[in-house]
Amino acid sequence: MLRLIGSCNGFIGLMTNLYDINTSVYIRNPLLGEYFKLKLPQLEKSDCGVVYRFCFSEASGKYKLVRSVTRRFGGHHEVSELVVYTLGVDEKWRNLGQVTYPVQEIACNRPKYEWL
């Protein structure tokens, strides 16, 4: 089962079941029938919420996959960490830092997220 995590410039971002051990994101070009697959980081025991979004940055001209992970510490305190993967640049996730409240949704509307 695939879930839509974003679309832009004719590309579609699809994700498999988040809690599957082989969770992946597929970036697809439906006009050409082509796609490529990104393996996602494994979940940790403290992860209580994960959100992915597929975006395009007009500033850099790059496609990006944004990940927010909300972690629970001591059963009460929650912290969300934002990381970004830039397609075609490198093979690693770049940490953007933490926010002190849970992130439930990521909106990739320009120009708000050009800094990603």
Side-chain angles (χ1 to χ4, degrees):
M1 184 167 148
L2 295 173
R3 184 170 54 104
L4 180 68
I5 59 167
S7 64
C8 46
N9 301 334
F11 291 95
I12 300 173
L14 300 165
M15 187 172 121
T16 59
N17 182 353
L18 179 61
Y19 300 104
D20 182 3
I21 194 162
N22 295 315
T23 300
S24 299
V25 164
Y26 295 89
I27 307 300
R28 180 167 168 76
N29 181 335
L31 291 175
L32 298 177
E34 297 175 346
Y35 71 92
F36 64 92
K37 177 180 171 181
L38 293 171
K39 180 81 170 132
L40 302 177
Q42 290 187 337
L43 296 175
E44 297 178 18
K45 289 185 180 190
S46 61
D47 295 349
C48 61
V50 181
V51 178
Y52 286 92
R53 199 58 69 221
F54 173 60
C55 307
F56 179 78
S57 169
E58 288 186 5
S60 68
K62 302 287 184 189
Y63 293 91
K64 299 174 183 267
L65 187 62
V66 182
R67 179 181 194 240
S68 167
V69 180
T70 302
R71 294 193 173 96
R72 185 164 302 192
F73 299 99
H76 301 293
H77 184 65
E78 291 183 344
V79 173
S80 287
E81 177 182 74
L82 295 173
V83 292
V84 66
Y85 182 96
T86 303
L87 282 65
V89 172
D90 53 26
E91 304 250 343
K92 59 184 176 183
W93 291 85
R94 185 170 43 107
N95 191 326
L96 299 178
Q98 295 181 343
V99 292
T100 56
Y101 53 88
V103 174
Q104 303 294 327
E105 183 64 37
I106 300 169
C108 291
N109 298 326
R110 49 175 200 249
K112 287 167 107 175
Y113 295 95
E114 295 297 336
W115 52 271
L116 294 174

